[in-house]
Amino acid sequence: MKARTRVAPSPTGDPHVGTAYMALFSYCYAKKTGGEFILRIEDTDAERSTPESEATILDSLRWLGLDWDEGPDVEGPHGPYRQSERSDIYGQYAERLIADGHAFRCFCTRERLAEVRASQMKAGETTRYDGHCINISTDDAAALMAAGEACVVRMKIPEEGVCTVKDELRGDIEIAWSQVDMQVLLKADGNPTYHLAVVVDDHLMEITDIIRGEEWISSAPKHILLYEYLGWPMPKLVHMPLLRNPDKSKLSKRKNPTSIGYYKAMGFLPEALLNYLGMLGWSMPDGEEKFTLDEMIENFDLSRISLGAPVFDVDKLSWLNGRWLRETLDDGQFADRVTEWALNRDNLLKIIPLVKERVDVFSQLAPMISFFAEGMPELSPESLKVKNVEEEDVKKILQFSLWRLEAQILWERDPLNQLFVDLAESLGLKLRDVLAPIFVAISGKPVAPPLFDSMAILGPDICRARLRHAVSVLGGVSKKQVKRLEKEYKEL
RNA sequence: GUCCCCUUCGUCUAGUGGCCUAGGACACCUGGUUUUCAUCCAGGCAACAGGGGUUCGACUCCCCUAGGGGACGCCA
């Protein structure tokens, strides 16, 4: 049977290797059956979703070669593929669930919910909604709404019994209904939550197999119940293991470079990154570690997935990338790929205005612009020293800048400039002193082309990574220090 | 705290009851090739979390314990 699978990223930040991981397995699964792979943008969180993030997600996945058959930019018979453009659809189903007695309007305040949660936590119970509004009549609800009371729609959950989640990898998982919360389906702003939107869209888009992270197992009962309430056939569920940091926690950008853009900027080949992701939790029948996307599809089988959550090991990725470079590319292709990577005309045209007036002969160019094509510059604690500023404060400057930059969406010269002007002011420091260590962290030397232009060209992934690198050169920050710094940071 | 998932070398994995004296790869170490380095080649180190069952036989099946992870939001 032809499978239809999807990857459904939320455009709230840098495109994550975890997204690529799920996309890869979804893609292989669908293509193995001759089916389709769909890209859907889950931007129901109006607060955090940005069009910039969506654009970089599409770019990143396309760079990797995971082309989708249907999606926001190619359309298809089940569009639109952006949830923000489907809001009227979800409302309809929420109404239907209410009418059928499967959902109800809830007028509880956030404060009340927080209190309930806290007391349940304290009593050692599972935290869940206490059913306060479940018996409000239709008329009363209408009256409250007419009076301008804000409300959400929650789904009803069976009072007893267990839900059996059929996982294609693990078999049956039993979760008691008493553990499942009366999930909000429609938020006060009229937007659906993930749980409603994902069920409605997966059904309407005729998704047959849901491949997603293990983190979703515990909310699977809600989804299963919604399918039941709506009378729809349940797709197959495949929960992939989660990628991890070397310390075994869930892969996160605080501890590891997680954005696809970082690996692109560092000069990894998309084929190699994809190949590496493919060998996490999956292996070729003959044990070969180097394989193409097509080879993976050809040999793809769920039974070859292992369930232990793998550590993302940059060393092994580098080794694999080296093999791709040496074994797959001839000199001509190598030249083309390097050019495409950073030495392309567009990129040079951005750099040249910054250095043209600083050189007399071409040969002066290389040392001046080498940091545009470098990974992590070689730094020493001494090189990051700033006159009249304590080393601890330098570390603080770097860390605060990093946090500001992690929140920065518009990656251009002037906004970046402003970011540092603001930071210096709130810290009560001279801009020059704040910028000095940043300059060295980014360029690796005390003299270089203008900082903000350079940062704009380097892009967010490399800049953030270099700042993180600088912090670690200064000895890094301990958990205790992070706590203290975070507190101070919030008070700025 | 409650619930759920997971558990083979430091790391990625092979292993679907006898082929296991547990195989491969990364990393690390040693040696060789190379004017250097890298590549490449040869070799080495290193694991079935623990305890009970089931079975003629358990890395493989079951149970318990431990460890790790995840979920517990009007985030996804």
Side-chain angles (χ1 to χ4, degrees):
Chain A
M1 201 188 90
K2 286 189 180 180
R4 279 174 63 85
T5 63
R6 48 69 171 178
V7 67
S10 175
T12 55
D14 301 332
H16 200 273
V17 287
T19 304
Y21 186 57
M22 297 311 156
L24 170 63
F25 281 77
S26 297
Y27 183 89
C28 289
Y29 188 100
K31 294 301 161 186
K32 173 76 181 179
T33 67
E36 288 98 38
F37 170 63
I38 288 105
L39 172 66
R40 183 175 68 226
I41 298 296
E42 308 230 327
D43 55 352
T44 55
D45 184 354
E47 298 259 309
R48 297 197 304 146
S49 299
T50 66
E52 289 82 7
S53 172
E54 179 188 314
T56 48
I57 290 172
L58 300 212
D59 282 351
S60 296
L61 291 177
R62 192 159 278 135
W63 175 69
L64 284 169
L66 297 169
D67 286 314
W68 43 97
D69 299 292
E70 299 167 28
D73 57 339
V74 295
E75 289 308 321
H78 306 275
Y81 294 90
R82 202 176 277 119
Q83 289 183 330
S84 58
E85 292 168 15
R86 303 169 63 81
S87 34
D88 44 330
I89 300 175
Y90 311 113
Q92 263 171 255
Y93 289 103
E95 288 302 330
R96 185 169 134 195
L97 288 165
I98 295 174
D100 293 348
H102 297 312
F104 60 96
R105 292 187 199 280
C106 168
F107 296 85
C108 292
T109 61
R110 288 168 193 267
E111 291 72 38
R112 200 190 91 78
L113 295 173
E115 278 169 29
V116 171
R117 218 170 279 136
S119 73
Q120 286 171 332
M121 190 77 95
K122 209 172 170 188
E125 296 164 16
T126 300
T127 54
R128 59 199 293 256
Y129 182 63
D130 62 357
H132 188 253
C133 295
I134 199 166
N135 290 319
I136 293 179
S137 71
T138 322
D139 292 346
D140 290 349
L144 281 165
M145 280 162 72
E149 291 289 323
C151 75
V152 300
V153 175
R154 285 180 187 275
M155 67 186 292
K156 291 185 184 172
I157 302 292
E159 287 182 15
E160 41 193 45
V162 292
C163 176
T164 303
V165 179
K166 276 177 147 11
D167 181 278
E168 296 300 310
L169 264 23
R170 288 160 250 261
D172 290 354
I173 300 167
E174 301 210 321
I175 297 175
W177 285 118
S178 63
Q179 297 300 321
V180 182
D181 200 4
M182 296 181 219
Q183 180 62 48
V184 171
L185 299 177
L186 222 51
K187 309 178 204 173
D189 66 3
N191 274 324
T193 57
Y194 167 82
H195 303 280
L196 208 219
V198 79
V199 167
V200 168
D201 286 343
D202 282 342
H203 175 256
L204 295 179
M205 294 181 183
E206 298 177 36
I207 301 303
T208 59
D209 300 81
I210 298 173
I211 297 173
R212 41 144 67 146
E214 197 177 9
E215 66 213 287
W216 295 108
I217 291 179
S218 48
S219 43
K222 294 169 187 170
H223 305 157
I224 292 170
L225 192 58
L226 283 175
Y227 275 96
E228 227 176 273
Y229 282 167
L230 292 162
W232 294 338
M234 186 65 203
K236 283 187 182 161
L237 253 25
V238 178
H239 291 103
M240 295 294 297
L242 256 25
L243 266 23
R244 305 206 240 181
N245 297 310
D247 70 0
K248 311 273 188 176
S249 57
K250 183 172 158 182
L251 191 65
S252 67
K253 68 176 175 192
R254 283 281 162 95
K255 297 174 182 172
N256 242 324
T258 56
S259 96
I260 301 170
Y262 169 82
Y263 294 95
K264 183 181 180 192
M266 284 297 283
F268 286 87
L269 296 172
E271 298 94 315
L273 180 54
L274 218 45
N275 181 176
Y276 180 66
L277 289 172
M279 62 189 261
L280 295 179
W282 190 82
S283 58
M284 287 288 262
D286 63 0
E288 178 55 59
E289 296 197 290
K290 180 163 169 267
F291 49 86
T292 64
L293 182 55
D294 284 342
E295 285 163 343
M296 179 164 175
I297 293 167
E298 198 178 320
N299 292 284
F300 193 73
D301 193 314
L302 286 186
S303 70
R304 298 204 61 80
I305 292 177
S306 59
L307 292 174
V311 170
F312 191 94
D313 178 8
V314 181
D315 277 348
K316 188 143 186 181
L317 168 60
S318 298
W319 162 79
L320 189 62
N321 199 69
R323 280 192 64 184
W324 274 89
L325 245 35
R326 289 186 291 275
E327 297 172 16
T328 315
L329 305 181
D330 63 32
D331 292 356
Q333 290 169 319
F334 195 110
D336 291 343
R337 298 295 288 267
V338 178
T339 308
E340 189 189 323
W341 168 62
L343 306 183
N344 60 73
R345 194 177 159 84
D346 285 347
N347 206 29
L348 286 175
L349 281 175
K350 285 188 232 158
I351 296 171
I352 285 167
L354 307 182
V355 293
K356 201 173 169 187
E357 54 197 9
R358 290 176 164 77
V359 298
D360 296 318
V361 291
F362 288 153
S363 53
Q364 290 172 320
L365 220 47
M368 203 173 284
I369 64 172
S370 63
F371 75 99
F372 282 111
E374 253 177 358
M376 292 307 122
E378 275 201 38
L379 300 175
S380 63
E382 291 71 41
S383 66
L384 289 161
K385 266 199 180 126
V386 183
K387 226 192 242 173
N388 301 325
V389 181
E390 296 288 318
E391 185 174 304
E392 276 309 301
D393 288 332
V394 170
K395 212 193 266 185
K396 184 162 89 182
I397 289 167
L398 288 166
Q399 186 59 61
F400 283 12
S401 303
L402 183 54
W403 284 337
R404 287 272 163 106
L405 289 172
E406 277 173 356
Q408 182 65 25
I409 291 163
L410 200 56
W411 205 266
E412 288 162 15
R413 182 186 62 187
D414 294 338
L416 288 170
N417 189 350
Q418 194 58 46
L419 182 151
F420 283 101
V421 170
D422 292 346
L423 181 64
E425 201 187 306
S426 14
L427 284 170
L429 291 169
K430 282 187 200 148
L431 182 61
R432 198 184 7 164
D433 290 341
V434 171
L435 255 27
I438 308 292
F439 207 100
V440 175
I442 295 292
S443 68
K445 22 181 178 275
V447 245
L451 179 62
F452 304 120
D453 293 283
S454 301
M455 287 178 70
I457 293 168
L458 281 164
D461 300 303
I462 287 290
C463 291
R464 290 171 192 153
R466 287 191 186 170
L467 252 43
R468 252 175 246 131
H469 177 60
V471 170
S472 78
V473 166
L474 288 179
V477 276
S478 66
K479 273 186 188 163
K480 255 189 191 167
Q481 283 174 305
V482 168
K483 264 200 172 157
R484 213 191 60 229
L485 286 173
E486 266 174 351
K487 198 176 159 213
E488 197 178 330
Y489 182 73
K490 277 183 194 149
E491 286 165 2
L492 282 185

